[in-house]
Amino acid sequence: MSGVIGQAVSRIDGPAKVTGSAHYSGEIALPGLAYAEIVGARVASGRITSIDTAQAEDAEGVAGILTHLNMPKVNNVPLLPSLIGGPAPGETFFPMQDDVVHYAGQPVAIVVADGLEQAQHAATLVQISYAETPSITTIDQGRADAYEPEKIFGGLMPAQTRRGNVEDGFAAADLLIDAPFRFAANHHNPIEALTTTAVWDGDQLTLYDSCQGIKAVQLTVAALLGLSPSKIRVLTRYVGGAFGAKAMVWPHVTLTALAAQYVRRPVRLALPRGQMFTSCGHREEQEQHIELGATSDGKLTAIRHHKISITSPFDDWAEPAFGVASQLYACPGFEGVHRLVRGNTMTPTFTRGPGEAVGVFTLECAMDELASELGIDPIELRLRNITDVDPNTGHPWSSYGLRECFERGARRFGWAGRNPQPRSERHGNWLIGTGMATAGYPIAFFMHTQRARAHLYADGTAIVQTATQEFGTGTSTVMTQVAADGLGIGLRDVRFEFGDTDLPNAGSPVGSNGAMMVSAAVHNAATAVRDQLITLAVSDSQSPLHGADPAGVVVAGGRMTLAGDANTGETYSSLMQRHIMSDAEAIGSWDPPPLDTPHGLLTFGAQFARVAVDADLGIIRVRHMVGAFAPGRVLNPKTARSQLMGGMLWGMSQALLEGTHMDTRHGRWANASLGDYLVPVNADAPDVDVELIEVEDHVTGPLGVKGVGEIGQVGAAAAIANAVYHATGYRVRELPIAVEHLLAHLPSGPASAAAGAQPDLT
Amino acid sequence: MDGEIAALPAERGPSAQAVTLTINGEPRPLRIEPRVSLLDALREHLGLTGSKKGCDQGTCGACTVWVDGRRALACLTLAVTCEGHEVTTIEGLSAGGELHPMQAAFIDKDAFQCGYCTPGQIMSAVALLDEGHAADDGQIREWMSGNICRCAAYPNIRAAIRAVRDAAGGE
Ligand code: FES
Ligand code: FES
């Protein structure tokens, strides 16, 4: 009501973050703190034949060492994505329960010492011998035994998506596109490593944990240790980035709790950067194969989209690749199939834009190819195929906006008048190309009841609380705005309190659902308090509002007035003081619509990119990116833009930089450091323009918020890959795109004459 | 195993010794082992957690501080070598509770999201202006490339640096 929703408010956590006074999980001062270091398995498969901790135990400062020989047994807990709101272990396997090694880096010992350096040193003194067995760590090694799982994604999604009849669709097609793609594994690498501090007080456990969902941590550790959740409190305010790495609760959290119990002191574990590659999941290595059938006027008749990827020995995990890819276009026939290979890696996990960032890449590169083959402008081709209803269900979208995204994005980018001919623009030695792609991201109503508490004092200030945490999305700022708006008071009069599992329940903000679900609960709490006081005022004979229709009362600046008559009214304070009330309070709750709600549920967008490719060396520079998105209602354009921009640059990175490569001789990641695993630095990042298109949505909660966390990434890599084709005339079908892919296909390269020919993937 | 070697006492490095570091203009006496990095001395021994650990390997820049006014990676610097030198951390940047213009610009331009790389970015950004490496965006991009921002706030970081440069009358 107070108009603060939609304002570009600067982050309220800004002063703490720019002065270094914001405390992250590893920065809580605790008396008697000891430091833990995990020893990871050196081999990828086999058994531990002997483990000798004597030398390590004798090292200075060592307080205790746990291995499978003395580690307490934990309960088996099924893998369920944290968005459900229950226990959410990242893998069903829990380490140090026996002598079997399933993957390199699997924790086999945990060393605790007085000092950090002492723990690090003692960890190197633990002597372990292994009986190594052959490992499978790539798709190629396990392809012969690939299987089709029943369900993927922690049992949440079917492994197949089908509609219509693809064979009929291909028979009716005038043109076929057949494109195989391969994708390297990716690691999230938030700059703050996963860090846990565990403190026991009798049978009460307090955890300070760098996570995406404190409730998920509480429930997971409780389930594993067989403790009541009421005995566990998780305190986490600021998290140094997550991107999916902290969405599930990984074994090191519970290991730290067990280590603290063992040494009877508070224990902190901060994963070293190298262990970040074997401790918190990854985007799995995968291949996707897409076939499109289309009529000569560009109408899709069939899509067949298959994926094969590698998972752990214990879990059928695949990022679901065909959510958005099956929904963007009104193609009558669709077939999506996930296949898996079991390998010696840990269970993969959510990585920004899980599944969709890769599935949409494949679809949108194939669409670009189709546009080239048909001589139709890429945007026009999409416009001929987009649909006002979800093609899988026939339900209308809860809100749409895709046409406006194409229009506004194209205008901002300067798409009109583009010469579709590859290699048609050259500046000096740079081949210039432009590309575009459609973006989409699902809205998933898997969460449980969301709750928040609003507490208004008689001086007109408020505290609003919920058990969420700030990992850079801007939630603490945005929820302050939502609370101020709902209460009808100023931003400065609200303190938003979060980061404590003792506060009312909020789910893990994953899958771009944070702003939607948390704002719904905060809004409902704030307006419940407002409505209590309006009800009191209109029934109070001493109030100027006495007898008024409560629906006709508005609140701004802490003052309740008649709508359209600002002179008739009074402040919350005067009402509360007259009634000798020191405060008013309400819990607001929100339940998502049922999963079978009759609406198509996606957020939409359009991506554009301009690249320059060195005509001799194949070096690729992204010059400019434009994204236009329709995320429902925008609560704060400043923070929303930043999240979308970050997502788009993740898409740039997905296209050109990121790949973790397996050394199959040892079954270990070969580039497990920030020096070898490339992420963008400032010089890699082009300027990014973000267009926000607000669309009204009456399904996604009281404020009509969709989400901005992932959609920025979806489609961005495809726009860049399509631009690389436009610049060079060559389609690279492997990510990340590297100089090596292009060298033979540049103007001065040996295959120059064949530019535009199909690549040879062998 | 060779019995004689097994009988040797466990391996021990040099023990903790007294050092006085000068941090943000103040002498800070402490007892640390020679192997303690400046970053761990700040974070684990002195309670100055504004400097962040992103990699402990010199690859991310989250630990950027100044030693005698020059940018240094605190994770690759042994604390004992800093005796007699002036160490400045993010906590020393804003005098008397007033934000440094670069800190204010980072908030204004939304030059961070999670904030974990931010102290290092700001220490680099302020040094960049002093070094004369902010003449144009090309220079800023190169000379800020030692500081990784995984949230990818880079365009906004450049905007913040430009704003401070231009307010100071350019270079
Ligand atoms: S922590 Fe020093 S460079 Fe990363
Ligand atoms: S703000 Fe998150 S890493 Fe830079």
Side-chain angles (χ1 to χ4, degrees):
Chain A
M1 272 189 178
S2 62
V4 291
I5 287 188
Q7 278 183 21
V9 175
S10 290
R11 289 173 199 265
I12 59 161
D13 50 350
K17 286 182 172 173
V18 301
T19 54
S21 61
H23 290 293
Y24 295 77
S25 299
E27 302 175 346
I28 311 296
L30 291 163
L33 181 70
Y35 295 82
E37 185 82 5
I38 282 177
V39 180
R42 203 165 38 75
V43 303
S45 176
R47 279 180 185 278
I48 296 172
T49 51
S50 76
I51 192 155
D52 178 1
T53 57
Q55 209 189 342
E57 262 157 34
D58 194 36
E60 199 171 358
V62 169
I65 299 175
L66 284 166
T67 69
H68 70 278
L69 299 174
N70 58 347
M71 173 65 74
K73 296 287 175 263
V74 304
N75 294 327
N76 287 326
V77 180
L79 191 169
L80 202 59
S82 54
L83 60 169
I84 305 288
E91 51 189 9
T92 45
F93 166 74
F94 194 87
M96 288 190 238
Q97 302 291 293
D98 58 31
D99 59 359
V100 183
V101 175
H102 300 279
Y103 56 90
Q106 171 188 321
V108 290
I110 180 164
V111 178
V112 184
D114 296 341
L116 176 59
E117 298 77 13
Q118 291 169 337
Q120 287 168 344
H121 177 62
T124 67
L125 302 177
V126 177
Q127 307 289 327
I128 305 173
S129 307
Y130 301 91
E132 191 174 357
T133 51
S135 61
I136 288 174
T137 49
T138 62
I139 294 172
D140 280 341
Q141 288 177 310
R143 195 182 301 274
D145 294 319
Y147 64 99
E148 199 175 301
E150 210 171 299
K151 299 256 188 189
I152 54 163
F153 213 48
L156 275 195
M157 316 272 255
Q160 293 196 2
T161 309
R162 287 179 199 279
R163 81 169 172 258
N165 184 321
V166 278
E167 294 308 337
D168 290 355
F170 284 120
D174 300 317
L175 186 74
L176 301 177
I177 299 289
D178 181 332
F181 293 88
R182 340 171 101 163
F183 304 90
N186 289 170
H187 279 81
H188 323 76
N189 278 306
I191 295 298
E192 183 205 25
L194 281 86
T195 303
T196 302
T197 308
V199 188
W200 290 91
D201 180 3
D203 63 350
Q204 300 273 338
L205 173 64
T206 303
L207 291 164
Y208 304 86
D209 186 52
S210 176
C211 65
Q212 267 172 266
I214 51 179
K215 288 280 181 183
V217 172
Q218 177 195 34
L219 296 175
T220 307
V221 176
L224 284 165
L225 296 185
L227 286 177
S228 160
S230 62
K231 302 245 182 253
I232 300 181
R233 186 175 184 198
V234 184
L235 296 171
T236 301
R237 276 174 80 74
Y238 299 121
V239 179
F243 315 112
K246 301 171 182 176
M248 303 294 277
V249 185
W250 300 100
H252 69 275
V253 181
T254 309
L255 288 175
T256 308
L258 289 167
Q261 196 170 43
Y262 184 64
V263 301
R264 298 168 188 273
R265 303 163 57 168
V267 169
R268 177 179 301 153
L269 172 76
L271 292 175
R273 181 54 57 180
Q275 289 186 355
M276 287 288 291
F277 289 76
T278 50
S279 305
C280 44
H282 52 273
R283 194 195 301 283
E284 64 270 22
E285 183 213 353
Q286 57 193 281
E287 297 175 7
Q288 295 193 8
H289 187 166
I290 193 164
E291 295 165 82
L292 302 182
T295 59
S296 55
D297 63 349
K299 283 266 199 320
L300 290 169
T301 56
I303 302 175
R304 179 181 285 130
H305 194 159
H306 286 202
K307 168 179 169 178
I308 183 169
S309 60
I310 182 163
T311 185
S312 67
F314 3 93
D315 298 309
D316 287 340
W317 181 278
E319 297 188 308
F322 315 125
V324 178
S326 69
Q327 287 170 289
L328 283 179
Y329 303 123
C331 170
F334 185 92
E335 173 190 289
V337 179
H338 294 88
R339 288 165 61 73
L340 288 174
V341 165
R342 282 214 188 284
N344 296 101
T345 69
M346 70 182 312
T347 302
T349 197
F350 304 97
T351 307
R352 199 173 198 170
E356 314 300 352
V358 186
V360 171
F361 174 86
T362 301
L363 173 66
E364 290 301 286
C365 289
M367 287 294 280
D368 197 65
E369 204 164 327
L370 181 62
S372 304
E373 293 287 322
L374 291 170
I376 299 175
D377 175 76
I379 297 180
E380 174 56 27
L381 178 70
R382 272 111 178 146
L383 288 172
R384 289 184 194 178
N385 286 287
I386 60 175
T387 160
D388 292 324
V389 300
D390 179 342
N392 287 337
T393 61
H395 296 317
W397 303 115
S398 67
S399 55
Y400 197 38
L402 181 55
R403 286 184 186 82
E404 295 84 336
C405 290
F406 287 136
E407 229 169 82
R408 293 254 303 270
R411 203 178 322 135
R412 181 87 175 250
F413 184 77
W415 182 266
R418 170 188 190 254
N419 181 344
Q421 193 56 37
R423 280 199 200 170
S424 54
E425 193 180 343
R426 183 169 179 149
H427 295 166
N429 212 39
W430 292 103
L431 308 171
I432 309 295
T434 54
M436 61 79 57
T438 310
Y441 196 76
I443 300 160
F445 289 135
F446 287 119
M447 66 286 288
H448 274 188
T449 305
Q450 302 295 300
R451 291 187 206 92
R453 177 187 296 122
H455 189 100
L456 181 79
Y457 288 100
D459 68 351
T461 66
I463 294 174
V464 177
Q465 302 170 309
T466 187
T468 191
Q469 55 287 308
E470 173 67 81
F471 50 92
T473 60
T475 198
S476 52
T477 307
V478 164
M479 295 313 148
T480 306
Q481 291 173 264
V482 170
D485 174 82
L487 284 160
I489 62 179
L491 261 188
R492 277 196 194 82
D493 292 327
V494 177
R495 177 157 65 85
F496 178 62
E497 210 194 311
F498 58 100
D500 180 349
T501 46
D502 285 356
L503 300 178
N505 177 62
S508 297
V510 292
S512 295
N513 64 13
M516 171 184 72
M517 69 182 184
V518 181
S519 74
V522 168
H523 173 82
N524 288 347
T527 53
V529 169
R530 177 198 70 194
D531 293 347
Q532 273 177 27
L533 293 170
I534 291 175
T535 305
L536 180 64
V538 298
S539 61
D540 175 1
S541 59
Q542 293 181 53
S543 171
L545 294 168
H546 183 238
D549 172 8
V553 177
V554 295
V555 193
R559 188 161 184 272
M560 302 170 281
T561 58
L562 290 178
D565 175 10
N567 291 324
T568 306
E570 66 172 329
T571 61
Y572 285 146
S573 295
S574 72
L575 175 75
M576 290 169 82
Q577 277 160 20
R578 197 163 61 247
H579 287 264
I580 320 177
M581 290 167 72
S582 58
D583 57 22
E585 183 176 284
I587 297 275
S589 70
W590 177 73
D591 285 295
L595 283 173
D596 60 355
T597 180
H599 300 278
L601 295 165
L602 281 185
T603 304
F604 295 92
Q607 304 267 10
F608 298 82
R610 176 174 286 107
V611 304
V613 181
D614 185 291
D616 295 317
L617 302 175
I619 293 166
I620 304 165
R621 291 276 178 265
V622 181
R623 291 272 173 90
H624 186 208
M625 297 174 79
V626 171
F629 306 97
R633 186 163 181 197
V634 176
L635 297 172
N636 180 333
K638 192 169 191 167
T639 53
R641 257 177 228 287
S642 282
Q643 265 211 289
L644 290 162
M645 173 183 79
M648 290 167 69
L649 291 173
W650 267 67
M652 182 275 286
S653 188
Q654 177 194 357
L656 302 178
L657 299 173
E658 293 190 41
T660 334
H661 302 289
M662 189 54 80
D663 174 350
T664 49
R665 284 168 307 168
H666 302 292
R668 291 186 228 159
W669 297 113
N671 54 332
S673 78
L674 280 178
D676 297 309
Y677 180 89
L678 300 185
V679 301
V681 296
N682 203 312
D684 295 313
D687 285 335
V688 171
D689 289 320
V690 174
E691 289 276 328
L692 293 171
I693 289 130
E694 293 214 44
V695 285
E696 249 182 77
D697 197 305
H698 298 289
V699 178
T700 60
L703 297 173
V705 178
K706 290 168 101 174
V708 293
E710 344 246 352
I711 191 170
Q713 179 166 0
V714 181
I720 288 169
N722 294 337
V724 169
Y725 165 73
H726 187 230
T728 63
Y730 181 71
R731 290 195 188 275
V732 179
R733 292 211 175 121
E734 183 168 351
L735 292 191
I737 298 173
V739 167
E740 303 88 283
H741 295 120
L742 290 174
L743 271 183
H745 307 278
L746 295 167
S748 51
S752 168
Q758 292 307 306
D760 179 1
L761 254 188
T762 53
Chain B
M1 188 182 273
D2 186 321
E4 229 177 323
I5 290 177
L8 283 175
E11 193 181 338
R12 298 248 191 274
S15 53
Q17 48 190 271
V19 185
T20 299
L21 300 180
T22 309
I23 317 279
N24 302 323
E26 281 186 34
R28 302 289 302 260
L30 72 166
R31 282 192 72 79
I32 46 169
E33 296 175 1
R35 62 182 164 180
V36 174
S37 70
L38 175 59
L39 182 59
D40 289 328
L42 293 169
R43 289 173 60 82
E44 307 299 337
H45 296 265
L46 293 169
L48 291 169
T49 56
S51 307
K52 305 301 183 194
K53 183 183 283 187
C55 67
D56 216 17
Q57 295 174 321
T59 55
C60 76
C63 63
T64 305
V65 297
W66 303 336
V67 177
D68 294 336
R70 294 170 53 123
R71 298 195 242 178
L73 295 176
C75 72
L76 292 190
T77 305
L78 291 173
V80 290
T81 66
C82 294
E83 212 168 17
H85 299 275
E86 289 279 339
V87 176
T88 310
T89 70
I90 189 76
E91 289 93 343
L93 194 62
S94 46
E98 274 277 302
L99 292 182
H100 184 282
M102 192 63 79
Q103 292 171 317
F106 264 60
I107 296 175
D108 187 47
K109 301 295 180 193
D110 210 34
F112 56 92
Q113 293 174 37
C114 77
Y116 201 76
C117 72
T118 309
Q121 301 278 359
I122 291 175
M123 296 308 280
S124 271
V126 174
L128 194 77
L129 293 176
D130 292 345
E131 293 161 10
H133 287 145
D136 55 31
D137 266 27
Q139 269 201 354
I140 296 174
R141 289 164 75 135
E142 282 305 322
W143 289 88
M144 285 300 290
S145 279
N147 291 83
I148 292 174
C149 176
R150 189 54 162 154
C151 299
Y154 298 120
N156 295 0
I157 292 171
R158 295 197 290 267
I161 294 172
R162 282 196 303 266
V164 177
R165 176 196 66 196
D166 296 345
E171 288 208 15

